[in-house]
Each structure stands twice: as C-alpha cells, then as structure tokens.
Amino acid sequence: MSHFGKSGPPDIRDTYSLLVLNITFRTTADDLFPLFDKYGKVVDVFIPRDRRTGDSRGFAFVRYKYADEAQKAVEKLDGRVVDGREIMVQFAKYGPNAERIQKGRIVETTSKEGGRSRSRSPRPRSGSF
C-alpha cells in the first residue's frame, strides 16, 4: 500500500515546515530559496503578506521534504544575518497555518464594536477576502 508513485503536489504531512522570523520587508522568497536550498530539498517558500497593503509581514515559511535537512537548516541558518537582519529559524509548530496563530485573533476580528457580533456570521473560514 505504498503511495510513492503518486503524482501531484507533495502531501503536507510529508513535509517539514520551518518558520523564519525577523526577515526584512524587502526579503523575497527568491532571496530565501537559495539560502535554504543549500541544506536540502526545499518544497516551497511562502511569505505571508498583509491583505490590505500587500506588504510582507516580516516572516516566512520554508518547507523541506526531509526532516533531517530541515533540522540542518535550523542549525545553520538560525541567527544568520540576511539583508542586515539576524533571522530566527525554527520548526513551525502548525505547518503553513502557523501564521494564523502568529498574528493572534485580535487583528482578524473587529471585536471592538459589539463584542459578540461575530457569532451571527457563520461563514466558513476561507481566507478569500
């Protein structure tokens, strides 16, 4: 019952996400990719952006195919200076969705007016707007 011949995007569960903190707003996925690719097979690099302004939010996710390579990247790149900033590299606890925890709920919900008003909009939580 092996699933090795399966084509298509790699299963999220089979990859290892690193959270890269303290990058500058100028730093792009193209800047980070070669740096991390030295240590193993990078599946993708994702830099969350602010929905309104389109600016980088100052952190990134790098996904590796293999755990030992991700581990090596953490050891070699944590504390490395990139674009004048000392970056922090750690394993992302929650994969690509860690950014939701990162920014906290306060930013997302406008709970100042009414407080309980959120409960009457049972929209599926898709990040489409």
Side-chain angles (χ1 to χ4, degrees):
M1 225 183 82
S2 96
H3 56 265
F4 283 120
K6 206 176 57 184
S7 63
D11 189 327
I12 283 267
R13 284 184 307 253
D14 296 343
T15 59
Y16 300 87
S17 285
L18 299 185
L19 177 60
V20 184
L21 296 162
N22 204 36
I23 61 176
T24 73
F25 296 120
R26 289 189 307 272
T27 304
T28 65
D30 291 338
D31 297 327
L32 293 175
F33 186 86
L35 203 61
F36 284 84
D37 202 50
K38 280 197 197 84
Y39 301 105
K41 170 125 184 56
V42 172
V43 180
D44 64 27
V45 178
F46 172 60
I47 299 181
R49 298 192 168 278
D50 184 285
R51 261 186 239 136
R52 285 190 321 266
T53 64
D55 292 338
S56 156
R57 300 234 304 276
F59 59 98
F61 291 101
V62 178
R63 275 209 337 251
Y64 278 97
K65 188 80 183 91
Y66 302 107
D68 55 339
E69 296 177 348
Q71 179 65 52
K72 199 189 308 170
V74 170
E75 288 163 14
K76 302 286 189 206
L77 293 174
D78 186 40
R80 169 78 64 93
V81 174
V82 176
D83 207 357
R85 282 266 191 89
E86 201 176 288
I87 62 170
M88 284 160 44
V89 182
Q90 59 196 53
F91 276 91
K93 305 280 187 295
Y94 308 96
N97 297 324
E99 58 142 335
R100 230 180 262 141
I101 292 115
Q102 191 70 18
K103 66 183 175 216
R105 285 189 308 273
I106 314 94
V107 185
E108 246 357 346
T109 60
T110 50
S111 51
K112 276 192 212 69
E113 69 246 69
R116 295 190 313 276
S117 64
R118 271 179 314 160
S119 53
R120 55 155 208 261
S121 58
R123 258 206 328 270
R125 46 187 184 93
S126 68
S128 49
F129 17 68

